[in-house]
């Protein structure tokens, strides 16, 4: 996005440097990175960074408003309510596509947001390795002001650990060592000292939870939650039965509490009015279909990772929906071909990481990830056999 820097980077790039970069990155935790890592960061000029932050802060204004919980009460399925919900989420991730603004420039457009963790720790590692292998200009950083690597790790510790020592905090997931994002779990352990623990390994005694740490039964006082209940519902009966303990009153803190996965999600989009947020409607609240359906995307509220999304919407698709209260219709955004590569340009999506420490009035922006695509959508299945696509990070002009 910064043409002179893009040109310099591309001229200096060689397949050999990329292979050395990948070897270094993958050698930290061998076999833990299953997704494709892109050949380049995204260089983001200051004015575009400021547009991203302005959009996020406007959305945060809605999230911190006194009526937000009441407004999003229906977002939580009744059978998935977990006791001890706190006053606010610990994390928010905002996903933006980089789009043309119609005036020869670029603007962000919100795709989704989630009150749930992302690859918070892996991006520290990725930034370090990128700087070891590529020529990164001064004045560009993956961290958002006032953060750098050291203060960002401290922010992670403050937000994830709370007031507890690492041995009493766990990263909870379903079969964590089988997840495609497991590199982030291992990096979280590297930087914070907490163990990735499978739901099936929890030991419940009364209202207390325990796990085995180096063979020693250790109390869990805080859960860094990575379990998505959609995934839990697809597990075996035995695992689902074990999962019922999460819905009982427990003597633990959550980071984040599972309810925030639903409150800050696709469900929130129809309430947000901003130039960088595409118009979004609850399907059951539309009295007539838009005449230009080809410009909309149909999304189920309660799904994850793009499951169930209908891109080329027809009236028949809308009429076939049996539970329209659980679907949204969102105006399509047109991703710009913004990252120049050796063959065809790539589209880019940026995810900003926000952290909300207990007692703070608002969450703060601190880091990011990015994804490059040359297909119809962002995602592995749309980018098979392509290069200069996959997971990466933004380097913002500071």
């Amino acid at each position: 996005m910064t043409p002179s820097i893009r040109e310099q980077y591309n001229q200096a790039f060689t397949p050999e440097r990329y292979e050395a970069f990948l070897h270094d990155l993958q050698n930290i935790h061998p076999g833990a990175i299953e997704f494709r890592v892109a050949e380049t960061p995204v260089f983001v000029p200051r004015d575009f960074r400021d547009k991203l932050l302005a959009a996020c802060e406007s959305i945060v204004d809605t999230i911190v408003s006194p009526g937000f919980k009441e407004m999003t009460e229906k977002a939580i399925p009744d059978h998935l309510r977990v006791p001890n919900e706190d006053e606010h989420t610990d994390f928010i991730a905002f996903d933006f596509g980089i789009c043309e603004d119609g005036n020869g420039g670029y603007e962000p457009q919100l795709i989704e947001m989630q009150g749930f963790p992302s690859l918070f720790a892996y991006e520290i590692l990725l930034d370090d390795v990128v700087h070891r292998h590529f020529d990164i200009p001064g004045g560009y950083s993956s961290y958002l002001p006032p953060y750098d690597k050291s203060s960002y790790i401290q922010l992670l510790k403050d937000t994830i650990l709370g007031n507890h020592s690492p041995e009493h905090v766990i990263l909870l997931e379903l079969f964590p060592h089988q997840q495609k994002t497991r590199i982030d779990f291992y990096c979280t352990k590297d930087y914070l000292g907490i163990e990735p623990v499978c739901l099936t390994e929890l030991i419940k005694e009364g209202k207390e939870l325990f796990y085995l740490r180096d063979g020693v039964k250790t109390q869990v006082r805080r859960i860094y939650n990575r379990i998505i209940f959609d995934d839990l519902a697809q597990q075996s009966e035995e695992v689902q039965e074990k999962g019922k303990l999460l819905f009982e009153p427990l003597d633990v803190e959550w980071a984040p509490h599972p309810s925030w996965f639903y409150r800050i999600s696709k469900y929130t989009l129809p309430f947000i009015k901003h130039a960088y947020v595409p118009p979004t409607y609850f399907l059951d609240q539309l009295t007539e279909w838009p005449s230009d359906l080809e410009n909309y995307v149909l999304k189920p509220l309660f799904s994850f990772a793009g499951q169930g999304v209908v891109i080329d919407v027809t009236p028949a698709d809308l009429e076939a929906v049996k539970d329209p209260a659980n679907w949204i219709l969102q105006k399509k955004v047109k991703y710009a071909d913004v990252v120049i590569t050796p063959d065809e340009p790539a589209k880019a999506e940026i995810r900003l990481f926000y952290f909300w420490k207990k007692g703070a009035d608002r969450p703060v922006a601190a880091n990011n990830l990015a994804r490059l695509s040359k297909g119809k959508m962002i995602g592995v299945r749309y980018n098979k056999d392509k290069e200069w696509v996959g997971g990466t990070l933004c380097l913002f002009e500071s």
Side-chain angles (χ1 to χ4, degrees), residues 154-174:
Q154 187 60 52
L155 178 65
L156 280 184
K157 290 179 178 178
D158 293 343
T159 312
I160 293 174
L161 299 182
N163 297 320
H164 303 285
S165 56
E167 64 267 24
H168 294 297
V169 182
I170 61 168
L171 186 159
L172 186 64
E173 176 58 290
L174 295 167

Side-chain angles (χ1 to χ4, degrees), residues 91 117-118 120 160 170-172 188 194 222-226 255:
F91 317 105
S118 186
F120 296 152
I160 293 174
I170 61 168
L171 186 159
L172 186 64
T188 302
I194 67 174
R222 188 170 171 88
I223 294 173
Y224 178 36
N225 182 45
R226 305 296 288 259

Side-chain angles (χ1 to χ4, degrees), residues 25-297:
L25 183 66
Q26 294 169 345
N27 196 48
I28 308 298
H29 291 286
I33 301 178
E34 287 190 23
F35 50 86
R36 192 179 195 283
V37 181
E39 285 84 341
T40 180
V42 181
F43 298 100
V44 178
R46 187 185 303 112
D47 63 340
F48 194 87
R49 179 203 69 181
D50 291 346
K51 289 179 181 179
L52 288 166
L53 292 174
C56 291
E57 293 301 321
S58 177
I59 297 168
V60 167
D61 286 342
T62 298
I63 294 171
V64 301
S65 65
F68 183 75
K69 270 196 166 184
E70 182 180 358
M71 184 173 71
T72 57
E73 196 62 23
K74 292 182 180 179
I76 308 167
D78 288 337
H79 68 290
L80 297 179
R81 291 185 179 272
V82 174
N84 301 325
E85 182 180 345
D86 46 8
E87 286 306 305
H88 60 74
T89 185
D90 301 85
F91 317 105
I92 309 175
F94 295 101
D95 288 348
F96 291 90
I98 302 178
C99 304
E100 295 178 359
D101 65 4
N103 298 309
Y106 300 109
E107 67 181 13
Q109 286 289 323
L110 184 73
I111 306 302
E112 287 188 357
M113 55 184 169
Q114 56 184 30
F116 196 75
S118 186
L119 304 182
F120 296 152
Y122 164 70
E123 292 301 320
I124 304 170
L125 171 65
L126 180 59
D127 182 68
D128 283 349
V129 180
V130 163
H131 278 82
R132 285 205 289 268
H133 290 270
F134 298 109
D135 300 323
I136 304 302
Y140 279 77
S141 174
S142 63
Y143 302 102
L144 290 154
Y147 294 98
D148 56 16
K149 178 181 177 180
S150 176
S151 58
Y152 176 70
I153 292 175
Q154 187 60 52
L155 178 65
L156 280 184
K157 290 179 178 178
D158 293 343
T159 312
I160 293 174
L161 299 182
N163 297 320
H164 303 285
S165 56
E167 64 267 24
H168 294 297
V169 182
I170 61 168
L171 186 159
L172 186 64
E173 176 58 290
L174 295 167
F175 309 107
H177 304 291
Q178 299 174 24
Q179 296 290 338
K180 288 188 177 180
T181 53
R182 61 187 179 273
I183 181 61
D184 183 66
F185 307 161
Y186 302 154
C187 290
T188 302
K189 181 179 178 180
D190 291 341
Y191 298 121
L192 273 64
I194 67 174
E195 294 284 347
V197 175
C198 181
L199 169 69
T200 60
E201 298 169 346
L202 290 177
I203 303 164
K204 182 175 178 290
E205 296 180 1
K207 291 186 177 182
E208 296 180 342
L209 291 181
F210 300 85
Y211 75 110
L212 296 180
R213 185 181 179 96
D214 299 326
V216 178
K217 190 170 79 169
T218 305
Q219 186 171 359
V220 178
R221 300 189 184 278
R222 188 170 171 88
I223 294 173
Y224 178 36
N225 182 45
R226 305 296 288 259
I227 291 181
I228 295 168
F229 289 155
D230 278 5
D231 291 346
L232 178 58
Q234 297 172 27
Q235 302 300 318
S236 67
E237 288 187 17
E238 182 181 9
V239 174
Q240 290 187 53
E241 186 65 27
K242 181 77 174 186
K244 290 180 180 178
L245 69 83
L246 300 179
F247 301 93
E248 300 175 13
L250 298 170
D251 186 17
V252 297
E253 298 173 1
W254 292 92
H257 187 279
S259 290
W260 291 105
F261 175 81
Y262 298 101
R263 291 190 186 276
I264 301 175
S265 65
K266 292 187 287 284
Y267 186 92
T268 322
L269 296 178
F271 301 108
I272 308 297
K273 309 301 178 187
H274 192 277
Y276 300 148
V277 179
T280 307
Y281 309 96
F282 291 112
L283 193 59
D284 67 328
Q285 295 182 9
L286 286 173
T287 56
E288 60 182 5
W289 308 140
S291 58
D292 57 340
L293 271 181
E294 68 275 9
N295 293 323
Y296 286 82
V297 179

Side-chain angles (χ1 to χ4, degrees), residues 110-112 266 269-270 278-283 286 289-290 292-301 303 306-314 317-318 321 326-335 376-377 381-382:
L110 184 73
I111 306 302
E112 287 188 357
K266 292 187 287 284
L269 296 178
T280 307
Y281 309 96
F282 291 112
L283 193 59
L286 286 173
W289 308 140
D292 57 340
L293 271 181
E294 68 275 9
N295 293 323
Y296 286 82
V297 179
L298 181 64
K299 295 181 178 181
L301 287 176
S303 72
Q307 297 177 21
V309 173
V310 181
I311 303 172
D312 299 312
V313 185
T314 67
D317 293 321
L318 302 180
V321 174
N326 293 326
W327 290 74
I328 57 171
L329 199 62
Q330 183 181 35
K331 195 77 176 281
K332 279 182 181 177
V333 302
K334 185 177 181 182
Y335 287 78
K376 191 171 185 178
M377 286 182 69
R381 63 182 177 273
Y382 300 100

Side-chain angles (χ1 to χ4, degrees), residues 372-392:
L372 300 183
S373 173
K374 295 179 179 178
K376 191 171 185 178
M377 286 182 69
I378 303 286
V380 174
R381 63 182 177 273
Y382 300 100
N383 288 279
K384 292 180 179 178
D385 304 319
K386 295 183 183 294
E387 297 182 335
W388 291 63
V389 297
T392 183

